[in-house]
Amino acid sequence: MHHIPIRRVLRLVPFALVLLAPAAPAQDSAALPPAVSNAKAQLLSQFFAQGGASSAVLEYRRKLQEYQEARAAFDAEAGAYWSQIAEKRRTRNAKRRSGQQVTLDDYVLEHPPLYNGPKRPVNPEPEETPERPARKPIPVVADLLRAAQEQYQFTPQRPTSEVEFKRVYARYALASGLTREQAVRVYSFETGGTGSYDVQAGIEHGGKRAISTAIGYNQLLTTNSVELLAEQGHEFIRALGEKVTQTSGPARKSLEYKLAVLKRMVAHAKSVPDTWSEHEKIGNTAQGWAMHAMVLDIDVGPMLQTHKLLTSVLFARAKGYNRPLSAAELEMMNLTGDGTGLDMVTMPQAMREQVPTSNFFQRGGYERNPVAIRHNTVAKLLAVTDARMDSNSSNGGARELAGAF
């Protein structure tokens, strides 16, 4: 039911009372010209027919109905399209599990509908807006360091310079099987070719507010750090243990303590089922923030950054794809997840030219991604990724990282 604001009712009541007043004596009634009497009757009729609404409100209601009808029609069309996308994805996954060849027919080849109808109109009357729940604060580096101290009584060892971190990263990445091209070009894409080892999404290029927990050269989220500790922790412990044996004096004692903390973190990360959702739960706690602080450590940070990419390389090999991944292909796996990314990577060029990017997204993610919408085939998306890597690779940080290799 439409409610008329009290203040409007108070303005309208005197006028309504005049219209509803009992008829005056005959001589007074006769004094009113017929045009005036008719005008009063028309106003009274409109007043009740419109519920006292102004012309602006009536126009708003008309436009709102148009919007709702257009939006409902679009949602019906889009719902059918994205259901087809999901069904095709299930078919491809089933075929891969059974060793069957995936063909062009296993993709939706039409581009998704995009809403281009009227915008939702603005209500001229004040509306009560429901209170939005307060957003959880996004932890920044200071929060991660505080959590590491509180949860593990540990402070990550920061590098003495940016070049030091780059050199350690380059040595470990090369030894683990990443190429210079992969590491430098992904860094260029993720950070614009200027990011530091502790750069956080949103707090770069003049940004003032963190937009996620993504940190470092390959922009690890808290959940990435927890997952890598759970899945690759044995390798981190082995590598750090080797360094302990090669060190002596006070430095060794410090490394031994770091190794003990790392072992505790790995045990905590492994204490839940090995799923993204379970690791995300830890990542949203102070304990997860403390684990994420390891991306800042000169010894463990480069290992985390390396394995963020290396796990995708190893995943591709495990699936029988042994050709070296280009940096753009590796970035697709980095951005969309290994399974989805490999779907694009293993596609022949002729299919890449035809298959829409929508096949690799959920509806909400696609409609919020202007890059995937503009560059709407696999070939175009890979091409624009390569172009951005080309452009950013000439920036200072990228050149410095290339030199570290």
Side-chain angles (χ1 to χ4, degrees), residues 99-174:
Q100 297 180 59
Q101 181 73 29
V102 172
T103 68
L104 199 60
D105 290 337
D106 296 314
Y107 297 91
V108 177
L109 300 183
E110 297 79 26
H111 294 289
L114 294 175
Y115 181 72
N116 59 3
K119 294 182 179 179
R120 186 183 185 92
V122 177
N123 193 344
E125 294 185 311
E127 292 181 311
E128 286 188 14
T129 54
E131 287 189 14
R132 294 182 180 178
R135 287 185 179 179
K136 284 187 177 181
I138 296 173
V140 294
V141 166
D143 299 311
L144 305 182
L145 294 173
R146 183 165 50 251
Q149 187 57 234
E150 292 172 353
Q151 298 293 316
Y152 294 97
Q153 297 73 56
F154 174 73
T155 299
Q157 181 186 350
R158 310 286 286 273
T160 56
S161 67
E162 188 64 34
V163 172
E164 181 189 13
F165 196 97
K166 283 186 168 73
R167 286 172 179 162
V168 176
Y169 173 57
R171 283 198 301 271
Y172 186 81
L174 280 175

Side-chain angles (χ1 to χ4, degrees), residues 54-121:
S54 66
S55 59
V57 171
L58 292 173
E59 180 66 6
Y60 162 74
R61 291 177 184 168
R62 184 186 65 77
K63 289 183 177 179
L64 179 62
Q65 184 175 356
E66 287 180 355
Y67 164 78
Q68 289 171 334
E69 290 172 353
R71 191 74 206 190
F74 167 75
D75 285 337
E77 181 185 6
Y81 178 88
W82 289 101
S83 293
Q84 188 182 13
I85 287 284
E87 182 59 35
K88 291 282 190 178
R89 185 181 295 121
R90 285 191 288 269
T91 299
R92 293 196 303 276
N93 290 339
K95 290 182 76 169
R96 288 194 178 96
R97 284 194 297 269
S98 62
Q100 297 180 59
Q101 181 73 29
V102 172
T103 68
L104 199 60
D105 290 337
D106 296 314
Y107 297 91
V108 177
L109 300 183
E110 297 79 26
H111 294 289
L114 294 175
Y115 181 72
N116 59 3
K119 294 182 179 179
R120 186 183 185 92

Side-chain angles (χ1 to χ4, degrees), residues 330-394:
L330 183 55
E331 182 60 30
M332 285 302 104
M333 297 180 72
N334 191 29
L335 285 175
T336 65
D338 288 337
T340 300
L342 189 63
D343 194 354
M344 287 188 267
V345 166
T346 55
M347 190 181 295
Q349 182 63 30
M351 287 175 61
R352 290 181 180 184
E353 300 284 350
Q354 299 178 67
V355 175
T357 54
S358 54
N359 283 274
F360 311 99
F361 287 85
Q362 301 295 328
R363 176 181 173 181
Y366 182 85
E367 291 179 349
R368 292 192 300 270
N369 191 325
V371 175
I373 292 172
R374 283 198 302 271
H375 307 280
N376 57 9
T377 65
V378 173
K380 290 178 181 178
L381 188 58
L382 285 168
V384 74
T385 302
D386 256 329
R388 187 173 299 179
M389 288 176 171
D390 288 341
S391 174
N392 293 341
S393 290
S394 62

